[in-house]
Amino acid sequence: MAANNPVLDFALSCPKAELHMHIEGSLEPELAFALARRNGIAFPYADTEALRAAYNFGDLQSFLDLYYACADVLRTEADFRDLMLAYLVRAHADGIVHTEIFFDPQTHTARGIAFETVLNGLEAGAAEGLARFGISSELIVCFLRHLSEEDGFATLAQVEPFIDRIHGFGLDSSEQGHPPAKFERLFARCRALGRPVVAHAGEEGPPAYIYEALDLLKVSRIDHGVRASEDPALMQRLAQEQMPLTVCPLSNVRLCVFEQMELHTLPKLIEAGVKVTLNSDDPAYFGGYLGDNIRAVQAAFNWDAQTWYKLARNSLEASFASAAKKSDWIARLDAQFALVPV
Ligand code: HPA
Ligand code: ZN
């Protein structure tokens, strides 16, 4: 039986939002094989064990190569629905009440899958997650930064007829050599459509990329941003502006951004007053969902309930949900926090 640990129990069960999770990165090997079978696709791995054995990443690119290859099994609306629902089942178990989910249209449209197929499938899964668990889910379209801005504009043209169903825009894929500045005009257009924008920056890339995301793309959150800790002036600015960072601890360790969890800069960011949130990034590939990230972080840093309260509260405040929803969730969080034994 698990030892009695009220702080960890609170951290795991309290209401929270997940703001950095790529739906394609929640594709577990079992589902990948099931979808390959359903779609009559020959998968280049003998079984789920052989696929899991390939999850041995040296950096972001080595992960992305496998991640894009596995996404090939996603073909139909039903596939995207099943993927979304499987994630929401796990999210519910980790206390998540709201999630803003990244997806990569270019990964699918380049294979001849219509944007509408992807969108309809993800929405069907989200609707079922809302009905069954009360989790609200919003969708954020991410542009692949290793492709051109022109390709991004072509994708945006496919998205625009469905803009009412899209909550925001983001930027992901290979960071090094693809600075935010490359997408300044595209992101101006996204903002002109009335949508908030976010960007991966400072995961593998330098602090300069975080400045560009803030000043050129005018992001509402920085995804990862952990390399901000190398630049004291940037840390100060992030804290002063209360700019949320969506930090993904297990991802950072699996992709060798930090050698081990104990060396993660999370404590430094929190101590500097940066608005940190915890997230799972690509849970099927990086050793777990949000709850697994919480367990791993707590094993390394042994934080108190106040710190976990603050992280959960940050996640709710940093979401793009309505003020009414946020205050309802925060009231529930407060009520649960009041019950933690001191
Ligand atoms: N970084 C960049 N691109 C990604 C990631 C990530 O962590 N996960 C999925 N696409
Ligand atoms: Zn990510």
Side-chain angles (χ1 to χ4, degrees):
M1 217 178 99
N4 185 28
N5 189 336
V7 173
L8 183 59
D9 291 346
F10 168 69
L12 290 169
S13 65
C14 71
K16 58 184 83 68
E18 181 154 55
L19 306 175
H20 184 162
M21 205 291 299
H22 304 260
I23 197 67
E24 296 90 347
S26 70
L27 178 61
E28 293 285 348
E30 290 72 18
L31 183 57
F33 273 86
L35 297 184
R37 224 172 298 122
R38 185 156 94 187
N39 292 323
I41 301 163
F43 208 46
Y45 294 91
D47 51 30
T48 54
E49 228 168 279
L51 177 52
R52 277 211 169 83
Y55 290 5
N56 184 19
F57 311 118
D59 57 12
L60 175 58
Q61 193 59 52
S62 61
F63 153 69
L64 289 171
D65 293 342
L66 182 64
Y67 163 84
Y68 295 131
C70 288
D72 186 42
V73 302
L74 297 162
R75 301 278 174 100
T76 67
E77 270 187 35
D79 299 343
F80 287 96
R81 173 216 165 262
D82 292 352
L83 180 68
M84 178 67 109
L85 189 58
Y87 162 69
L88 292 173
V89 168
R90 304 295 294 258
H92 178 60
D94 290 335
I96 292 168
V97 294
H98 175 75
T99 175
E100 295 174 6
I101 293 176
F102 294 148
F103 71 114
D104 291 337
Q106 287 153 301
T107 298
H108 311 301
T109 53
R111 300 180 290 118
I113 315 290
F115 176 75
E116 195 172 4
T117 300
V118 180
L119 182 60
N120 286 346
L122 294 178
E123 276 192 344
E128 203 161 332
L130 178 64
R132 280 172 59 177
F133 309 121
I135 301 180
S136 63
S137 307
E138 304 289 357
L139 295 172
I140 296 182
V141 161
C142 279
F143 298 104
L144 300 180
R145 68 202 302 160
H146 67 273
L147 301 178
S148 66
E149 188 181 45
E150 193 185 357
D151 202 303
F153 270 113
T155 299
L156 184 55
Q158 293 174 315
V159 174
E160 278 194 46
F162 306 97
I163 191 69
D164 289 349
R165 297 157 69 181
I166 298 300
H167 220 67
F169 291 91
L171 186 66
D172 64 4
S173 187
S174 323
E175 187 179 6
Q176 301 273 22
H178 302 286
K182 180 176 162 185
F183 298 95
E184 187 175 354
R185 292 173 314 147
L186 178 62
F187 272 58
R189 173 74 194 146
C190 293
R191 293 195 318 276
L193 290 169
R195 294 293 177 272
V197 299
V198 298
H200 285 54
E203 177 184 19
E204 285 189 340
Y209 284 20
I210 301 176
Y211 283 107
E212 285 186 14
L214 295 170
D215 296 329
L216 303 182
L217 304 190
K218 305 190 192 310
V219 294
S220 300
R221 299 192 293 251
I222 296 281
D223 296 314
H224 292 295
V226 292
R227 286 194 60 194
S229 60
E230 296 167 21
D231 184 329
L234 178 56
M235 291 271 274
Q236 216 177 355
R237 175 173 172 188
L238 293 171
Q240 200 199 341
E241 293 179 7
Q242 285 296 284
M243 173 59 58
L245 298 194
T246 63
V247 177
C248 306
L250 281 174
S251 164
N252 294 149
V253 174
R254 287 297 177 103
L255 297 185
C256 308
V257 175
F258 302 105
E259 231 173 81
Q260 58 189 79
M261 194 61 83
E262 287 75 9
L263 298 177
H264 201 291
T265 48
L266 262 169
K268 195 172 167 186
L269 293 163
I270 292 172
E271 276 156 33
V274 177
K275 197 177 183 97
V276 168
T277 70
L278 293 190
N279 306 271
S280 66
D281 206 4
D282 298 282
Y285 292 89
F286 296 151
Y289 292 77
L290 186 52
D292 302 296
N293 275 269
I294 290 169
R295 279 184 212 96
V297 165
Q298 186 64 342
F301 301 120
N302 194 30
W303 287 331
D304 59 13
Q306 178 66 46
T307 304
W308 286 108
Y309 170 82
K310 180 77 177 134
L311 289 166
R313 186 170 175 136
N314 285 351
S315 74
L316 299 169
E317 288 176 352
S319 79
F320 298 139
S322 68
K325 275 184 166 183
K326 286 185 192 184
S327 60
D328 178 42
W329 293 324
I330 290 170
R332 285 162 56 189
L333 175 63
D334 286 347
Q336 208 169 319
F337 182 50
L339 296 176
V340 181
V342 280

